[in-house]
Amino acid sequence: MITHKLEKLPKNTHEITVSIPWEEVQKDYALAFDHLHTELAIEGYRKGKVPKSLAEKHLKKEDIYNQLVKTMLPRIYEEIVKKEGLKPIVSPKVDLVSAKENEDWEVKIKLAEKPEVDLGDYKTYIKDAKNAAKTPDIWVPGKEGEEKPKEEEKGHKQLNAVLEALIKNTKCEISDIIIEDELETRLTRLLDDIQRLGLTVDAYLKSKNLTIDDMRAQIAKEIEDTYKIEFILMEVAEKEKINVEKEDLDKLFGSIQEVKDRQAAEQNAYFYASILRKQKTLDFLTNL
């Protein structure tokens, strides 16, 4: 019988230690073999028609175990998540601790749930931040070298003040799993971009006066702040009952001229609704 132990870690992270008896592994090994057997085609035999005795000679154990892991672990994970009532928000981090033949297997799974958000007295500190962000200088018409502050620039300044105040004053811990996963993706993309420019990583870092650790820390902070804002805005929207109505979506879709583009947008209504809700929430906060 497969057993597991659940441990709650900081930042809304959970670690599950799973023990899988060798008998259970063998059952899934047989299923994995059967699956690959049905996909196997060799000279003289069509796909799915290869005799089992020949399939056993052609299929490598490594391939069978790879197939086993691809099917067994997701199934076990889903069963545990359902049983424990967990609500992961990203793919889990899976570590095959022990996986030897004729021995029980041990697997560790880390998952992240939606963070708890404590907004505090957000209306007060946002108003304070907005007041502090107002341009203190008085514009004097005709004064050389100065231009009247544009409304768009003032709007950006106010918005940045609101976002910075939310990040600074709201309690919202983002799981390391979320940050690490996104960090690797961004680093890979950045390194590809650097190579396309014909630079070495060392040359790029030197031009930015950074070490690789500095760069990782900088990107990790950006990721953390981005996710914080996402969850904070969701919490504000819930508190203030900010919703997107059908009329909002109809207006948005109606503004798209191309029929194909409009149809594609309508098929992704949930995505656009989330963007509109976020914008409505930002408008609410900047107008406090």
Side-chain angles (χ1 to χ4, degrees):
M1 180 180 177
I2 298 172
T3 59
H4 73 274
K5 183 178 72 173
L6 179 66
E7 181 182 359
K8 184 171 176 58
L9 303 177
K11 300 182 180 180
N12 297 282
T13 305
H14 298 273
E15 183 176 78
I16 306 168
T17 302
V18 186
S19 297
I20 310 171
W22 174 242
E23 293 77 12
E24 295 293 333
V25 177
Q26 287 178 301
K27 291 177 185 176
D28 274 273
Y29 185 92
L31 292 173
F33 174 86
D34 291 341
H35 173 78
L36 295 179
H37 184 193
T38 60
E39 297 294 316
L40 182 64
I42 61 176
E43 188 176 350
Y45 295 95
R46 288 181 289 120
K47 180 180 175 181
K49 298 298 181 179
V50 179
K52 186 175 180 179
S53 57
L54 281 179
E56 289 172 343
K57 293 178 180 179
H58 281 79
L59 291 173
K60 298 177 181 178
K61 273 192 174 184
E62 180 184 355
D63 294 334
I64 300 172
Y65 275 116
N66 285 337
Q67 177 62 32
L68 177 155
V69 168
K70 281 167 57 179
T71 55
M72 181 178 72
L73 296 187
R75 186 189 74 244
I76 291 173
Y77 171 70
E78 288 176 11
E79 290 172 354
I80 294 173
V81 164
K82 185 177 180 180
K83 183 177 180 179
E84 297 289 350
L86 300 171
K87 296 179 181 179
I89 56 175
V90 292
S91 298
K93 183 178 180 182
V94 181
D95 181 20
L96 207 54
V97 179
S98 177
K100 296 180 180 179
E101 285 194 323
N102 301 311
E103 293 182 12
D104 295 348
W105 286 18
E106 182 179 322
V107 181
K108 284 191 182 294
I109 305 172
K110 283 187 178 180
L111 62 89
E113 289 193 296
K114 179 182 175 182
E116 297 174 3
V117 180
D118 182 358
L119 294 169
D121 188 4
Y122 63 98
K123 291 183 180 180
T124 297
Y125 63 67
I126 284 177
K127 287 177 183 177
D128 291 342
K130 285 175 59 185
N131 289 332
K134 288 180 179 177
T135 306
D137 298 329
I138 298 174
W139 178 68
V140 179
K143 188 173 181 181
E144 188 178 353
E146 289 190 4
E147 295 181 2
K148 186 176 181 179
K150 296 178 181 178
E151 288 301 315
E152 185 179 353
E153 292 175 357
K154 288 165 68 178
H156 286 316
K157 192 173 182 180
Q158 291 278 296
L159 176 59
N160 288 336
V162 168
L163 296 177
E164 287 174 6
L166 287 170
I167 290 173
K168 180 181 177 181
N169 295 283
T170 301
K171 293 180 181 178
C172 177
E173 292 187 317
I174 305 300
S175 172
D176 293 336
I177 295 174
I178 299 174
I179 297 173
E180 288 167 6
D181 187 51
E182 181 75 16
L183 177 60
E184 294 309 314
T185 301
R186 289 204 193 182
L187 280 174
T188 300
R189 192 185 308 136
L190 177 60
L191 293 176
D192 288 342
D193 291 342
I194 291 171
Q195 290 178 345
R196 274 195 288 270
L197 291 172
L199 297 172
T200 64
V201 175
D202 288 341
Y204 174 81
L205 291 172
K206 189 174 181 180
S207 70
K208 299 290 183 180
N209 196 28
L210 295 170
T211 65
I212 188 68
D213 289 337
D214 291 336
M215 186 172 70
R216 288 181 69 92
Q218 189 179 83
I219 296 174
K221 182 66 168 60
E222 291 172 2
I223 294 168
E224 183 179 21
D225 287 349
T226 299
Y227 275 100
K228 274 186 178 181
I229 287 297
E230 288 289 327
F231 290 115
I232 290 169
L233 292 179
M234 286 171 59
E235 185 68 16
V236 172
E238 289 294 321
K239 276 189 173 295
E240 300 297 335
K241 295 181 171 54
I242 298 172
N243 296 306
V244 174
E245 307 298 336
K246 183 178 182 298
E247 293 76 16
D248 298 320
L249 287 170
D250 289 342
K251 184 178 179 180
L252 172 64
F253 298 147
S255 67
I256 302 175
Q257 300 298 319
E258 293 291 333
V259 176
K260 287 184 178 179
D261 293 339
R262 184 166 63 251
Q263 290 174 341
E266 288 172 347
Q267 290 175 356
N268 289 283
Y270 180 83
F271 170 73
Y272 286 97
S274 67
I275 292 177
L276 284 175
R277 192 184 194 206
K278 188 190 302 182
Q279 187 57 56
K280 275 189 167 188
T281 307
L282 285 170
D283 290 342
F284 166 80
L285 293 170
T286 53
N287 289 320
L288 283 174

